[in-house]
Amino acid sequence: MLWRMLRGSWRHRRVRLGVATLSMLLGAAMTSALINLSFDVGSQTGRELRAYGANILLLPRGASLTPGGTREGRGIRERDLAALDGIPAVVGYAPSLYLVADVQGRPLAAGGVVFERLQAMSAWWRVTGSWPAAPDEALLGVSAARSLGLAPGDRIAIGYHDAKRELVVAGLVETGGAEDNQVLVPLPVAQALAGQPGQVGLVQVSALVAGQSLVEVAGAIEARLPDIQARPLRQFAQAEESVVAKVRLLLALVAAVVLGVAALAVGSTMFTAVVERRAEIGLMKALGAAERRVAALFLADGIGVGAIGGLGGYAAGLGVAALIGQQVFHATLQPNPLGLPVTLAVATGVALAASIWPVRQALAIDPAVILRGE
Amino acid sequence: MMSAVVRAEGLTKRYNGRVHALAGVDLTVARGEWLGVMGPSGSGKTTLLNLIGCLDRPSAGRLLIAGDDVTTLSQAELVRFRRNHIGLIFQQFHLIPYLTALENVMLAQYFHSLADEAEARVALERVGLGERLHHLPAQLSGGEQQRVCIARALINQPSLILADEPTGNLDQANEERVMDLLRELHAAGHALIVVTHDPAIGDLADRLIYLDHGRVVREQGLRPLAGGALVR
Ligand SMILES: Nc1ncnc2c1ncn2[C@@H]1O[C@H](COP(=O)(O)OP(=O)(O)OP(=O)(O)O)[C@@H](O)[C@H]1O
Ligand SMILES: [Mg+2]
């Protein structure tokens, strides 16, 4: 019988209930998007930021970093770096050995690098020509190329003390950073020039931070490589954590506001219903309806609005989350298994909470109104 | 008087502590008796029905219905008492607009105990609406709506049926139809209290009381009770 009554009353008031359900659906959609995104947004953002370069720097223990970011040093053995492969959070690393060389007769910072490794971590570098592939090819910074008057395909002479090598410029690189005024050469070339075979001065590490902090990853690296100090790059550590936190906070705020609005919409719909159905409620009481039956009728409205809005909102929110994942983080979304139950519970809970006051009003209606007429 | 369905002593209702809607009414209604209540507008007729129907509480006095002192009952007990003992017929019918005739009757069963569609169908057939079971109130004439209301009032076999101006909104033909039904209810042994302005309906009662300014100013026995006992 309760079902028959609900069916009748819902059909009767479908427009109003539809509006309330729709606003609940919006609230639920935000909730669902929040849950599905925040589950994955940590690793999403970590992976995304990795494309912007290294977030940990490895230096020989006791060494310090000179302001230009270049350093002539010794102390890290290239073969020790294999240990980095055993740390799951480390997704890439690029060793380098810097020296101030004599390039075409001028002093210029020359960095010995492993090009494949560097390229994987430097997605935003703009290279005209191509990345060096052969052991005698170099990558020249755009500013250096301009002042030296060199273009891709030209030969370039690099000397250091008494050693000297001749390479081919494979491409010009523009990063907006120090590299624009450097020449990058294959690591073995730099090692040979410096007379430090098998040695590197500096390693850029790209670590994926999902669930653990950059400092923890740095600690793990130091535990495996005792002669090395691992320095998290502050701006990256903060950027990653704050991007995730901000996206979450934003979503949570929007979800809270939209849910609040939805609660108001449901509450006012219910309240209007109580006012309009005054005679009906009075009649039910006059017919001997127990309070819980009257309450059940109105709470069922709330549950119905919450459940339908919650279901629809879950689906819509999943769509929104997938879209944000695509557009903002360039990643496909794994739906959070908690999404459906939590969204349903939140929507139904909010709708029920919004119904409490109207239901109390309904219960307070005096059955004597029914005989007096209105 | 053991067979009294209603026994009121000094029944008083004040609104806002000042207006005396009822001022000390003494009244007895025997089991199966039909009591007519007449009186000018504002004399307290509806107030009396509200009190006897346990829809409202008296300000003073004693009220026993079916032998129980209802003035001492809690709110929840009043509700239970009402659904077990009282059937209500209204001038404005008060059917639920989105429920069919059948469902409106079943609603009273549902609040009483369990909805029983077959039984509700029989009640509607009894008031001549066997063909209109699945119509909404808006699809029924005023007289038909009132008959649905009567079917709803009798569905739980109440010992007492209260009617406030049951024909107030009806034309002559429908009024007669409703009067016939009231007569049938009476014959079936229900006690009736019928408030009316219409002397033709008042004349159907076993006994008639006149209210004015919240008091019983006149009382008139019209015919002997079914049991043979003559009232006044
Ligand atoms: N809720 C209320 N608050 C204040 N006064 C009320 C209330 N209900 C009724 N009254 C007053 O009580 C008196 C009796 O009212 P009641 O409704 O019982 O009259 P009635 O005999 O049914 O009149 P009518 O024939 O017009 O229906 C009237 O003076 C009315 O104004
Ligand atoms: Mg009245």
Side-chain angles (χ1 to χ4, degrees):
Chain A
M1 190 65 211
L2 178 66
W3 179 237
R4 280 186 187 226
M5 293 175 70
L6 288 177
R7 204 178 47 193
S9 98
W10 287 356
R11 197 180 306 140
H12 197 60
R13 300 178 295 133
R14 57 185 173 274
V15 175
R16 282 233 177 83
L17 287 172
V19 171
T21 306
L22 202 66
S23 58
M24 190 45 77
L25 189 146
L26 289 179
M30 292 313 301
T31 311
S32 158
L34 173 68
I35 295 166
N36 280 307
L37 263 186
S38 60
F39 188 68
D40 218 31
V41 84
S43 45
Q44 234 34 294
T45 320
R47 226 172 272 135
E48 175 68 5
L49 285 177
R50 184 166 60 79
Y52 296 112
N55 46 15
I56 296 178
L57 222 49
L58 305 189
L59 300 168
R61 194 161 280 287
S64 66
L65 202 61
T66 55
T70 60
R71 185 186 174 279
E72 291 182 52
R74 68 225 128 246
I76 302 181
R77 280 188 304 272
E78 204 182 339
R79 60 182 149 85
D80 290 348
L81 297 178
L84 290 174
D85 295 328
I87 301 173
V90 172
V91 290
Y93 62 91
S96 58
L97 179 66
Y98 272 89
L99 36 94
V100 179
D102 174 353
V103 178
Q104 309 275 74
R106 296 189 203 186
L108 193 68
V113 299
V114 179
F115 281 111
E116 313 86 82
R117 290 189 174 278
L118 186 65
Q119 188 175 1
M121 287 169 52
S122 312
W124 83 100
W125 284 17
R126 282 179 48 193
V127 172
T128 38
S130 60
W131 280 82
D136 66 339
E137 286 183 334
L139 195 60
L140 188 59
V142 283
S143 308
R146 214 174 297 121
S147 59
L148 293 171
L150 291 176
D154 291 347
R155 302 192 76 78
I156 183 170
I158 301 173
Y160 185 70
H161 298 300
D162 299 330
K164 188 164 181 156
R165 286 295 180 90
E166 211 172 69
L167 301 173
V168 177
V169 178
L172 304 184
V173 66
E174 182 170 8
T175 69
E179 294 83 3
D180 289 1
N181 216 16
Q182 296 174 354
V183 61
L184 298 178
V185 303
L187 185 58
V189 172
Q191 287 168 338
L193 285 171
Q196 296 177 350
Q199 295 282 98
V200 300
L202 188 77
V203 183
Q204 299 180 348
V205 175
S206 178
L208 183 60
V209 280
Q212 53 184 336
S213 79
L214 217 43
V215 177
E216 285 172 321
V217 179
I221 293 174
E222 287 185 345
R224 284 181 187 242
L225 298 168
D227 295 335
I228 283 173
Q229 53 170 314
R231 288 193 182 179
L233 296 179
R234 271 182 69 83
Q235 69 271 32
F236 281 108
Q238 285 172 346
E240 289 197 9
E241 271 141 40
S242 68
V243 164
V244 177
K246 276 178 187 156
V247 170
R248 273 199 195 131
L249 186 69
L250 186 72
L251 281 173
L253 277 178
V254 175
V257 169
V258 178
L259 278 174
V261 172
L264 282 180
V266 173
S268 77
T269 304
M270 300 288 282
F271 186 68
T272 314
V274 170
V275 172
E276 285 178 352
R277 299 168 81 187
R278 221 177 121 74
E280 194 183 310
I281 296 162
L283 172 78
M284 290 178 189
K285 291 187 158 186
L287 291 179
E291 293 212 330
R292 67 188 159 79
R293 291 236 157 125
V294 177
L297 200 59
F298 280 82
L299 290 178
D301 276 7
I303 292 174
V305 166
I308 295 173
L311 271 180
Y314 170 73
L318 203 59
V320 169
L323 201 70
I324 294 182
Q326 277 292 315
Q327 299 293 309
V328 183
F329 300 108
H330 308 290
T332 34
L333 191 87
Q334 289 296 103
N336 184 342
L338 283 178
L340 184 58
V342 172
T343 305
L344 263 183
V346 167
T348 315
V350 169
L352 274 183
S355 310
I356 286 175
W357 191 63
V359 166
R360 293 176 82 109
Q361 295 295 110
L363 292 182
I365 286 175
D366 179 359
V369 298
I370 197 74
L371 271 181
R372 286 203 195 99
E374 57 272 26
Chain B
M1 197 195 225
M2 276 313 292
S3 60
V5 179
V6 179
R7 190 185 190 100
E9 290 165 12
L11 199 60
T12 297
K13 180 69 185 179
R14 283 182 294 267
Y15 288 110
N16 315 322
R18 299 181 328 126
V19 188
H20 272 69
L22 275 188
V25 167
D26 296 323
L27 183 71
T28 304
V29 180
R31 213 163 271 284
E33 187 184 10
W34 179 335
L35 177 76
V37 180
M38 297 186 76
S41 183
S43 57
K45 307 183 294 296
T46 296
T47 303
L48 180 65
L49 278 200
N50 269 337
L51 293 182
I52 295 175
C54 302
L55 296 168
D56 213 346
R57 290 173 179 278
S59 313
R62 238 158 66 90
L63 177 61
L64 282 83
I65 295 177
D68 289 319
D69 187 347
V70 296
T71 53
T72 61
L73 296 183
S74 73
Q75 199 64 41
E77 285 169 333
L78 270 186
V79 171
R80 197 172 321 128
F81 193 85
R82 186 155 69 222
R83 67 171 170 252
N84 288 330
H85 293 279
I86 314 279
L88 294 167
I89 300 172
F90 311 100
Q91 180 174 357
Q92 298 93 344
F93 324 136
H94 290 302
L95 299 176
I96 292 188
Y98 53 81
L99 295 182
T100 64
L102 188 66
E103 289 167 340
N104 264 288
V105 175
M106 288 167 67
L107 188 64
Q109 297 176 309
Y110 170 67
F111 290 144
H112 179 265
S113 47
L114 271 182
D116 177 343
E117 188 166 333
E119 205 181 12
R121 198 182 291 266
V122 169
L124 281 167
E125 279 161 5
R126 193 169 150 196
V127 298
L129 289 174
E131 309 294 307
R132 315 300 302 269
L133 299 176
H134 301 293
H135 287 69
L136 293 173
Q139 300 165 321
L140 298 173
S141 73
E144 288 165 339
Q145 290 186 49
Q146 189 57 297
R147 274 139 66 191
V148 176
C149 184
I150 292 172
R152 182 178 62 189
L154 60 85
I155 191 70
N156 294 323
Q157 298 298 327
S159 46
L160 179 61
I161 291 179
L162 307 179
D164 196 353
E165 303 274 6
T167 59
N169 280 349
L170 302 181
D171 62 16
Q172 189 67 35
N174 277 303
E175 180 177 328
E176 266 157 32
R177 186 74 216 260
V178 167
M179 280 159 60
D180 284 345
L181 284 171
L182 291 178
R183 250 189 235 111
E184 276 176 36
L185 290 180
H186 181 47
H190 296 277
L192 289 172
I193 300 182
V194 181
V195 168
T196 185
H197 279 116
D198 184 345
I201 299 195
D203 283 345
L204 293 175
D206 298 323
R207 188 157 56 102
L208 203 49
I209 60 171
Y210 293 87
L211 286 183
D212 198 7
H213 290 96
R215 289 173 207 282
V216 180
V217 292
R218 194 149 65 89
E219 187 167 346
Q220 190 183 0
L222 298 174
R223 59 186 58 81
L225 279 178
L230 208 121
V231 180
R232 291 238 169 157

